[in-house]
Amino acid sequence: MPVTRKNFGKTPEGKEVTLYTIQNSNGVSAEVTNFGAILVRFLVPDKKGNVSDIVLGYDTIEGYFSNGSFFGATIGPSANRIDNASFMIDGTKYQLAVNDGTNNLHSDENQGYHKRLWDAQAGENYVTFSLEDKDGSMGFPGNKKVQVTYTLTDENELKLDYYVTSDKKTLINMTNHTYFNLAGHNSGNIEQHKLQINASRYTPIYPRLIPTGELAPVADTPFDFREIKEIGKDIEAENEQLKYGQGYDHNWVIDDADGTLKKVAVVEEPTTGRRMEVYTDQTGIQFYAGSCIKPVAGKEGASYGKRSGLCLETQAFPDSINQEHFPNVIYGPDRNYQTTTVYKLYW
């Protein structure tokens, strides 16, 4: 089915915002907006044929102007945390916004890609968002051309393709920050969801939530999701790492990551029968159980709060730019950034 579009309000500067709806032949639809390249709605049937929106968000564009929890957001140029909000490339230090204790989190609260108005081009079953980001923007070097494409297939896959070029060496580590609740966005706590992650190791963190540099085994810890289990089973366990993250807010090291697209995680919701598989070509996946969602009014009168949704953010490891043995996140004239993530739904 062709992509449809409608007005979604205006930016604070008075520019028109558009909401695009992509549909497939199985009753699945995704709604995305050119403000922030944000996933606003994702409507999916359940085992009884009832269709629900399974992502947290807002009914109107005004909610996304603040969006403190980054609902549905495309994060860039750098997702997650950077220690001391700074990094070095070829002897030059780059200073970013200090917006998370002493860290940089998600590039910039107000100027990050989730707050930009992107150009958009719609095809039969996709929308490609693009923007240009100038050298020095938010403290990052390089004139960058950025593209994010959302594609919805008849195999019930929501596919996200990222592509970035830069005329200087720069840090690129993007992700999507959608919060999923497979019971429906307004269904409350996600602790009854079951999760499996194909990862034998994870990256422990300091209290300031920056990785220590260790690649620690998940065996015999609450971080072992190699076999599917309820998210709530161990989330309140006596564990220093869980205390630091107020639950799960950690990066898992994907097993056998080799740059090809692999299934890395599975989420199941028992009451609706919905199941989601996550595929990526990235090295890491940040599982965030939504413990820090502040009470806020969401879509359709929903009240969101602690653990109302979960994020599975495919990316390179947090703070990779400052940790030599972590994945290489420097891109530039001789190395373009290109990555794919797929969320595939069953019911």
Side-chain angles (χ1 to χ4, degrees):
M1 300 180 184
V3 173
T4 60
R5 67 193 74 194
K6 64 180 180 181
N7 182 269
F8 197 44
K10 294 183 178 181
T11 69
E13 298 76 30
K15 294 182 178 180
E16 298 283 341
V17 179
T18 303
L19 187 68
Y20 299 84
T21 301
I22 317 169
Q23 303 177 72
N24 74 4
S25 59
N26 303 315
V28 178
S29 65
E31 297 181 19
V32 292
T33 177
N34 60 329
F35 182 82
I38 287 169
L39 176 62
V40 174
R41 297 183 182 90
F42 193 18
L43 288 95
V44 179
D46 67 7
K47 62 186 178 183
K48 296 181 179 179
N50 300 314
V51 176
S52 296
D53 181 1
I54 63 166
V55 300
L56 276 58
Y58 303 102
D59 286 320
T60 64
I61 190 59
E62 285 76 16
Y64 294 103
F65 295 158
S66 53
N67 197 14
S69 293
F70 300 89
F71 293 145
T74 293
I75 305 294
S78 176
N80 219 304
R81 294 175 174 88
I82 298 173
D83 197 15
N84 294 315
S86 64
F87 61 92
M88 303 275 290
I89 296 179
D90 293 342
T92 299
K93 182 178 180 179
Y94 296 94
Q95 183 65 51
L96 310 178
V98 181
N99 59 7
D100 177 62
T102 59
N103 308 324
N104 175 267
L105 175 64
H106 298 330
S107 300
D108 193 284
E109 183 178 355
N110 297 311
Q111 300 177 59
Y113 294 168
H114 67 295
K115 295 288 182 72
R116 303 281 187 92
L117 191 65
W118 299 56
D119 294 327
Q121 181 177 354
E124 186 69 20
N125 67 336
Y126 69 86
V127 181
T128 295
F129 297 112
S130 58
L131 61 78
E132 295 189 5
D133 194 26
K134 293 182 179 179
D135 183 25
S137 169
M138 298 176 279
F140 294 87
N143 293 295
K144 295 170 286 294
K145 294 183 178 180
V146 186
Q147 285 191 343
V148 178
T149 299
Y150 288 87
T151 304
L152 180 63
T153 73
D154 281 336
E155 287 71 45
N156 307 316
E157 299 165 323
L158 184 62
K159 184 181 178 186
L160 283 67
D161 291 296
Y162 304 79
Y163 186 72
V164 184
T165 63
S166 175
D167 64 357
K168 291 183 181 178
K169 289 184 179 179
T170 193
L171 162 59
I172 306 288
N173 186 20
M174 296 181 66
T175 198
N176 181 277
H177 209 289
T178 292
Y179 291 74
F180 295 95
N181 187 324
L182 298 189
H185 76 96
N186 54 355
S187 298
N189 194 288
I190 50 80
E191 290 182 21
Q192 301 306 309
H193 284 56
K194 296 180 179 181
L195 174 65
Q196 185 257 330
I197 304 175
N198 295 335
S200 304
R201 297 172 295 168
Y202 78 110
T203 52
I205 53 177
Y206 293 113
R208 64 185 188 275
L209 305 182
I210 293 292
T212 65
E214 181 185 7
L215 307 183
V218 300
D220 302 317
T221 78
F223 295 87
D224 193 348
F225 283 93
R226 291 174 294 175
E227 299 292 332
I228 198 163
K229 69 175 182 181
E230 283 192 358
I231 289 170
K233 180 176 186 292
D234 297 320
I235 200 168
E236 299 290 349
E238 283 295 320
N239 178 276
E240 188 174 62
Q241 286 292 310
L242 290 175
K243 180 180 178 181
Y244 294 161
Q246 300 182 53
Y248 297 112
D249 189 7
H250 296 73
N251 168 71
W252 272 253
V253 179
I254 294 168
D255 286 344
D256 303 318
D258 60 4
T260 63
L261 199 65
K262 295 179 182 293
K263 183 169 74 173
V264 298
V266 176
V267 187
E268 295 179 355
E269 201 291 308
T271 60
T272 61
R274 292 192 183 99
R275 178 172 180 260
M276 183 174 75
E277 296 177 349
V278 183
Y279 296 77
T280 189
D281 50 20
Q282 287 281 19
T283 52
I285 185 167
Q286 183 90 4
F287 166 43
Y288 172 46
S291 297
C292 297
I293 301 173
K294 292 183 172 66
V296 65
K299 291 177 285 191
E300 302 173 323
S303 180
Y304 302 145
K306 181 178 180 179
R307 297 177 188 159
S308 292
L310 64 94
C311 300
L312 291 166
E313 305 161 61
T314 56
Q315 57 193 250
F317 308 164
D319 199 40
S320 282
I321 190 69
N322 290 318
Q323 307 212 27
E324 190 174 346
H325 62 292
F326 276 14
N328 180 9
V329 290
I330 297 175
Y331 296 85
D334 300 320
R335 187 183 185 222
N336 297 333
Y337 178 86
Q338 188 168 6
T339 184
T340 297
T341 293
V342 176
Y343 299 103
K344 185 171 184 176
L345 274 297
Y346 300 85
W347 54 87

